Amino acid sequence: MKAMSIVITGANGKLGSLILKQLLQKVSSDQIVACVRDLEKAKDLLEQGIEVRLCDYDKPETLDQAFAGASKLLLISSSNQDDTIRLRQHAHVIEAAKKSQVGQLLFTSFAFPEHDSISTSHLYMATEHAILTTGIPYTFLRNSLYTDFVGVLGLNAAIDTGELRISPGEWSFNTVTREDLAKGIAAVLAEGDHQNKTYELTASRPWTFDDLAAALSEMSGKPIVLREDADIQNWIYGFLRKINTTSTSTDLEKLIGGPVTPLKESIKPFITTI
C-alpha cells in the first residue's frame, strides 16, 4: 500500500478533472488514483503517471477494488438527473468505502442545504447522514452553485441591446467558479488536518444583478441597464428561488489562500460578442 493514496471518483468529469489538475501541483502523481466509468477515456491520466481504476456507481462490484488502499476517498456527487438513482449510487460508494476501510471519506455536497426547498438538497443531506453512520472520518465539501449559471441569462443579448432583463426580486448570489472549488478541494485532499469538518465553499461576499450589469458595461464599453420583467419565462429563476444563494462563508478563501475569482473574470467564458 502507498504511504498515501488519494482516490477520486468521477475523475474525468468537469470538476474531477480540475481537481486532479490542482492536486498534481501539490502531491506526486503516484499518490493519486483516478476512478472512472470508461477506462478508454482516461488514457491521458495514465500518461501523467496517475493510476486509473474502473469505478461505476451503478456497478457495486467495481467499487471494492477501486477503493482498495485509499487513505482518502473523494466521492464526487453523481450527475444523474434522477435524485432517487443518485442516492442509490451514493449509497453504493459509501458501503464500498466502509468495506474497503478507507481512511477518510470526502463528499462534494451543496452549500447550506438545510435552507433549500428542492429535492436535491435532501439528497445531499441524506448522503451526508449516510456517511456519518459509517464512523469513517469525513469531510463535507459543500459547493455553492457554479457561476456558470449566468450562461442562461442572455448576457450576449444584453450587450447587444444595452439591457439585461431579469425576473423581479431581491437577488444576490454566493456563486464561485469550478476552478476555485477545485483549488479548495485539492488543498483539503493534499493536507492532513481536515477530518470531521464541514466546509461551506461559497464566495465570501455575494454579488447582485447590479454588479453583473456593471461588469458587462465595463467589458463591453457601453452602458448596460438592468430591467425587471415579470413576463420572463426562464426556468433558472424558479430554481434560484428554491436554493440558498445568499449565505456566504470565508471557508473557500481560507483554503485557497486568497480571494475567489472576480465576477468579471468568471463571466468571460460566456461572452462572445466582444
Side-chain angles (χ1 to χ4, degrees):
M1 189 183 300
K2 301 170 185 175
M4 179 170 71
S5 181
I6 301 171
V7 179
I8 300 175
T9 70
N12 55 356
K14 287 183 179 180
L15 180 60
S17 297
L18 291 170
I19 292 171
L20 280 178
K21 181 180 178 182
Q22 293 295 326
L23 192 56
L24 283 169
Q25 299 177 31
K26 299 176 179 294
V27 303
S28 60
S29 60
D30 65 352
Q31 292 180 292
I32 303 172
V33 177
C35 288
V36 300
R37 284 185 300 176
D38 188 340
L39 296 176
E40 285 297 311
K41 294 181 179 179
K43 290 181 178 178
D44 62 316
L45 300 179
L46 286 171
E47 292 170 359
Q48 297 176 69
I50 297 172
E51 182 181 351
V52 177
R53 298 176 183 173
L54 178 65
C55 170
D56 190 327
Y57 294 167
D58 291 314
K59 298 177 181 178
E61 66 273 13
T62 68
L63 302 179
D64 292 351
Q65 187 172 355
F67 303 158
S71 303
K72 296 181 178 181
L73 169 63
L74 173 63
L75 165 56
I76 293 182
S77 178
S78 163
S79 59
N80 195 290
Q81 297 300 304
D82 186 320
D83 285 339
T84 303
I85 293 174
R86 293 176 76 191
L87 186 57
R88 182 167 66 244
Q89 291 173 330
H90 292 175
H92 289 160
V93 173
I94 295 166
E95 289 165 6
K98 186 173 183 179
K99 194 181 300 183
S100 301
Q101 298 182 319
V102 304
Q104 181 179 354
L105 181 52
L106 305 93
F107 171 56
T108 59
S109 191
F110 196 71
F112 303 105
E114 302 91 345
H115 307 298
D116 296 348
S117 60
I118 57 173
S119 62
T120 302
S121 295
H122 298 304
L123 160 79
Y124 288 116
M125 293 184 70
T127 302
E128 289 185 7
H129 286 307
I131 290 171
L132 292 174
T133 66
T134 66
I136 300 171
Y138 67 89
T139 309
F140 297 144
L141 304 157
R142 291 179 165 181
N143 296 347
S144 69
L145 182 68
Y146 302 140
T147 306
D148 292 21
F149 90 88
V150 301
V152 301
L153 296 179
L155 302 189
N156 293 300
I159 291 173
D160 290 339
T161 63
E163 190 174 77
L164 177 62
R165 296 168 61 246
I166 64 166
S167 182
E170 295 293 326
W171 300 104
S172 65
F173 303 100
N174 56 10
T175 66
V176 292
T177 64
R178 275 192 182 87
E179 288 79 4
D180 284 336
L181 289 170
K183 289 178 184 177
I185 293 169
V188 172
L189 289 170
E191 298 164 3
D193 57 349
H194 301 283
Q195 289 191 357
N196 301 328
K197 293 183 179 179
T198 297
Y199 295 111
E200 305 287 356
L201 302 183
T202 70
S204 60
R205 292 187 304 169
W207 58 269
T208 67
F209 280 136
D210 286 315
D211 296 324
L212 181 58
L216 292 174
S217 298
E218 185 177 346
M219 294 169 72
S220 64
K222 62 180 184 180
I224 309 297
V225 299
L226 198 62
R227 184 165 76 86
E228 293 189 350
D229 183 352
D231 294 326
I232 286 181
Q233 299 294 318
N234 189 331
W235 66 270
I236 192 67
Y237 292 105
F239 173 72
L240 292 172
R241 286 189 175 95
K242 294 178 181 178
I243 63 174
N244 183 343
T245 64
T246 59
S247 296
T248 59
S249 166
T250 58
D251 288 348
L252 182 56
E253 290 192 346
K254 289 175 181 176
L255 289 172
I256 66 178
V260 298
T261 305
L263 180 62
K264 191 172 79 167
E265 293 298 315
S266 301
I267 66 174
K268 276 185 178 179
F270 308 98
I271 307 297
T272 60
T273 58
I274 55 175

